[in-house]
Amino acid sequence: MAKRVAVILSGCGVYDGTEIHEASAVLVHLSRAGGKVQMFAPDADQMHVVNHCEGKPTGEKRNILQESARIARGEVTDLAKLDVSAFDAAIIPGGFGVAKNLSDWAVKNKNCTIQPHLEKLIKDFHKAGKPLGMCCISPVLAAKLLPGCELTVGQDKECEKWPYAQTAEAMKDMGCKHVNKDVDEAHVDVKNKLVTTCAFMCNAPFHKVFDGIGIMVQETLKLA
């Protein structure tokens, strides 16, 4: 029987929304595995809009749900309508939208808060024993809401290949067990049914990011 998977988006574009290549990789791997996918996003304004040519904020306002529809080819539902009982698993791709629109990690780091609907959903999926898959920066959501969980955001020693390694140290400071993994690997926390992979937390070729996300998707589906 096909697994029913909720994919939670945070906009469209790495600097202010969902990382498009990560979302695409998740969708391709779910499609190949025969998953039945429904996409969701909050119906709210983004924290800000970033000019992706310059990497600088503009004065625009954009809606997270409407921007997510660009990735979902129009088929996206308000996150407030996500019914946990209708799904076997949930997957959250990365991108700065996770840290800006699904939470305020980008501003408050370890002291962040999570978007209220998403906080309840993550806790409800966990309570129901349904797996969660997260990649790139999205494991910070689990770090905040699932105390003591095991996860990966890649490596914990900063270098050219791993420019965001300080995030791993923040995970440890929050009481999580960070497990060093390469970009084409994923970590499975069996106890918490949490599967994570680093994706673009690593300066890696696109195909390796794609492969690592594939492992994350496969392992999430195995737990469903």
Side-chain angles (χ1 to χ4, degrees):
M1 185 175 176
K3 302 294 184 183
R4 302 160 300 169
V5 182
V7 175
I8 299 172
L9 304 175
S10 59
C12 181
V14 57
Y15 297 132
D16 58 13
T18 297
E19 212 296 323
I20 296 167
H21 301 285
E22 292 182 18
S24 178
V26 166
L27 296 172
V28 169
H29 286 295
L30 284 171
S31 175
R32 183 171 286 145
K36 186 176 180 182
V37 175
Q38 187 172 351
M39 285 173 266
F40 295 87
D43 186 5
D45 285 341
Q46 295 181 182
M47 173 184 150
H48 60 193
V49 177
V50 174
N51 179 326
H52 278 57
C53 291
E54 299 177 353
K56 297 177 182 177
T58 72
E60 289 180 75
K61 282 191 175 182
R62 294 191 185 184
N63 177 277
I64 304 166
L65 183 66
Q66 290 176 14
E67 290 299 294
S68 297
R70 296 175 182 271
I71 293 174
R73 297 173 60 86
E75 296 293 326
V76 63
T77 303
D78 183 356
L79 186 66
K81 297 178 180 178
L82 198 165
D83 178 3
V84 173
S85 68
F87 293 91
D88 301 302
I91 293 179
I92 308 175
F96 277 97
V98 171
K100 294 177 177 180
N101 303 331
L102 300 186
S103 73
D104 53 11
W105 174 272
V107 178
K108 297 183 179 178
N109 204 261
K110 292 177 287 186
N111 297 315
C112 72
T113 56
I114 311 299
Q115 198 270 356
H117 287 126
L118 182 60
E119 177 172 352
K120 183 177 187 303
L121 289 167
I122 289 174
K123 289 179 177 177
D124 287 350
F125 269 96
H126 183 254
K127 185 177 179 180
K130 296 181 176 183
L132 294 158
M134 301 182 183
C135 61
C136 195
I137 193 64
S138 63
V140 302
L141 303 170
K144 186 69 179 181
L145 299 177
L146 308 178
C149 67
E150 298 177 6
L151 48 74
T152 189
V153 289
Q155 300 286 316
D156 59 7
K157 296 290 186 292
E158 192 167 323
C159 62
E160 184 178 356
K161 183 180 178 182
W162 300 99
Y164 308 108
Q166 72 276 8
T167 306
E169 294 302 322
M171 302 296 94
K172 297 175 189 177
D173 291 345
M174 293 169 75
C176 299
K177 178 182 178 182
H178 181 268
V179 181
N180 284 339
K181 291 284 185 178
D182 210 341
V183 65
D184 53 359
E185 299 178 307
H187 180 70
V188 181
D189 179 347
V190 176
K191 179 182 176 183
N192 288 296
K193 290 196 172 183
L194 173 66
V195 187
T196 51
T197 189
C198 68
F200 284 107
M201 298 294 274
C202 179
N203 277 333
F206 280 39
H207 71 279
K208 289 193 174 182
V209 173
F210 182 87
D211 292 346
I213 289 174
I215 299 297
M216 181 269 285
V217 168
Q218 290 169 26
E219 295 298 330
T220 301
L221 292 176
K222 284 181 187 176
L223 294 172

